[in-house]
């Protein structure tokens, strides 16, 4: 009690509430307009993950985009290294489930929040005491598949206006003045997306689609012939030396030969062991760069050696001799065949009394 009576508490206990000056956003969510005007409100909404009030930001995402806002606090976003709005990874532009899957294969650690609110609050408080260097993301080398799937350019289609629900019901009377899209929903597996599943990296339909695409298109299947140990490099920059190619492949194993073809701007790298060639193909497919240019990497085709060519020529000559001599007991002697013996090849019709023989020509009946 004071000299003027009892003091009235104007503020509630704001311990644990978050106040920030600028959001953590990806380039896609910011939009294509370089001049962004944001609305800011301290403790305007609670986080969708940790249920703590935080500073909300709202802005128009580009010239043709809709208004977007932050949905999670910076503590949760920093722990997962994701955007506060779309919850995609800030480094690769991929869902959390895809990133964590390949980071675990590379030897990294996955951060997960406890299911209880008390456990989440405690972990977030401990994370605030740590610096950004203590976070596990960015510590290990990037997985080759993450480099192939990474989206380095903005995808502004995510900023389009949402579908008008009144138009779907056939009751929208605003016409061209309607700020929403007048389209019918496509449905499918991407129609049911949940924010919490995307943040925790569980049962995310977008991640499932990307992982299926990675398994079908982003993996270079080795040939069945185990004797093939050659990799083909296409689209090389003019002036690439053998030393530049060797510097990219010698770390995978012993190299038998490197054959440069400057006229076609390509090269052939042959390994001693098949295992070394498979490792190089799996790690460098679609991510190999030589002299700052992306190079096309494929498996080489089997090449016939001189011995195999000689054996094939001997087999063909022996079969030709056998057919020329004919089988025992066959009638008539061998007669060679020439294209001029076939009048039908020149568009002529057979004369009366001529019959087609076994060589495609005609003989007198």
């Amino acid at each position: 009690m004071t000299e003027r009576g009892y003091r009235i508490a104007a503020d509630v206990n704001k311990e644990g509430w978050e106040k920030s000056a600028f959001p953590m956003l990806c380039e896609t969510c910011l939009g294509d307009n370089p001049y962004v005007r944001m609305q800011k409100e301290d403790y305007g909404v609670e986080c969708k993950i940790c249920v703590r009030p935080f500073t909300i930001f709202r802005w128009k995402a580009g010239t043709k985009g809709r208004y977007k806002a932050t949905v999670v606090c910076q503590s949760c976003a920093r722990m997962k290294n994701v955007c506060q709005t779309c919850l995609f990874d800030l480094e690769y532009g991929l869902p959390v489930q895809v990133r964590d899957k390949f980071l675990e294969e590379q030897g990294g650690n996955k951060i997960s929040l406890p299911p209880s609110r008390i456990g989440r609050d405690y972990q977030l408080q401990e994370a605030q005491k740590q610096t950004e260097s203590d976070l596990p993301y960015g510590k290990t080398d990037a997985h080759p598949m993450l480099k192939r799937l990474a989206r380095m350019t903005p995808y502004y289609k995510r900023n389009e206006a949402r579908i008008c629900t009144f138009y779907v019901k056939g009751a929208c009377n605003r016409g061209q003045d309607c700020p929403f899209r007048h389209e019918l929903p496509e449905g499918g597996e991407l129609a049911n997306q949940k924010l919490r599943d995307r943040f925790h990296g569980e049962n995310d339909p977008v991640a499932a689609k990307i992982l299926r695409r990675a398994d079908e298109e982003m993996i270079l299947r080795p040939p069945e012939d185990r004797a093939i140990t050659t990799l083909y490099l296409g689209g090389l920059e003019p002036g690439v030396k053998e030393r530049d190619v060797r510097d990219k492949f010698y770390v995978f194993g012993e190299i038998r030969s490197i054959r440069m073809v400057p006229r076609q701007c390509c090269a052939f790298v042959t390994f001693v062991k098949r295992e070394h060639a498979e490792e190089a193909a799996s790690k460098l497919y679609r991510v190999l760069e030589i002299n700052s240019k992306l190079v096309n990497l494929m498996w080489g085709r089997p090449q016939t050696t001189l011995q195999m060519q000689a054996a094939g020529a001997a087999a063909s000559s022996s079969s030709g001799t056998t057919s020329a001599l004919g089988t025992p007991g066959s009638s008539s002697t061998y007669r060679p065949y020439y294209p001029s013996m076939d009048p039908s090849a020149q568009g002529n019709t057979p004369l009366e009394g001529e019959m087609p023989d076994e060589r495609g020509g005609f003989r007198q009946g």
Side-chain angles (χ1 to χ4, degrees), residues 6-21:
Y6 290 99
R7 181 178 63 88
I8 298 176
D11 294 334
V12 297
N13 183 17
K14 296 182 179 180
E15 183 180 359
W17 292 15
E18 183 183 273
K19 185 176 181 180
S20 55

Side-chain angles (χ1 to χ4, degrees), residues 123-141:
Q123 186 168 352
L124 289 173
Q125 291 176 3
E126 293 297 323
Q128 290 178 356
K129 299 177 184 178
Q130 302 175 355
T131 60
E132 295 184 359
S133 60
D134 297 330
L135 297 176
Y137 299 109
K139 294 295 185 62
T140 59
D141 295 336

Side-chain angles (χ1 to χ4, degrees), residues 9 56 63 124 126 151 227 303:
I56 182 176
T63 55
L124 289 173
E126 293 297 323
R151 176 173 286 170
Q303 298 181 354

Side-chain angles (χ1 to χ4, degrees), residues 240-344:
V240 173
K241 306 297 181 182
E242 180 179 341
R243 179 182 66 257
D244 301 330
V245 178
R246 188 178 296 274
D247 291 342
K248 298 290 183 179
F249 287 91
Y250 80 95
V251 295
F252 300 104
E254 184 179 357
I255 299 176
R256 176 174 297 170
S257 64
I258 297 179
R259 186 163 63 92
M260 306 293 297
V261 187
R263 179 174 297 180
Q264 280 78 24
C265 295
C266 64
F268 296 89
V269 181
T270 304
F271 285 88
V272 176
K273 296 183 179 180
R274 170 63 177 258
E275 293 77 11
H276 299 162
E278 291 181 358
E279 182 181 2
S282 62
K283 292 186 176 181
L284 297 180
Y285 179 59
R286 288 202 174 190
V287 296
L288 175 61
E289 291 187 1
I290 299 179
N291 292 350
S292 302
K293 182 181 180 182
L294 191 64
V295 178
N296 183 25
L297 177 68
M298 300 293 291
W299 280 96
R301 297 179 180 178
Q303 298 181 354
T304 57
T305 60
L306 296 177
Q307 295 180 356
M308 297 177 62
Q309 293 178 358
S316 61
S317 61
S318 61
S319 61
T321 305
T322 305
S323 61
L325 294 177
T327 56
S330 60
S331 61
S332 72
T333 58
Y334 169 75
R335 292 187 303 166
Y337 170 75
Y338 301 99
S340 58
M341 298 171 59
D342 186 5
S344 61

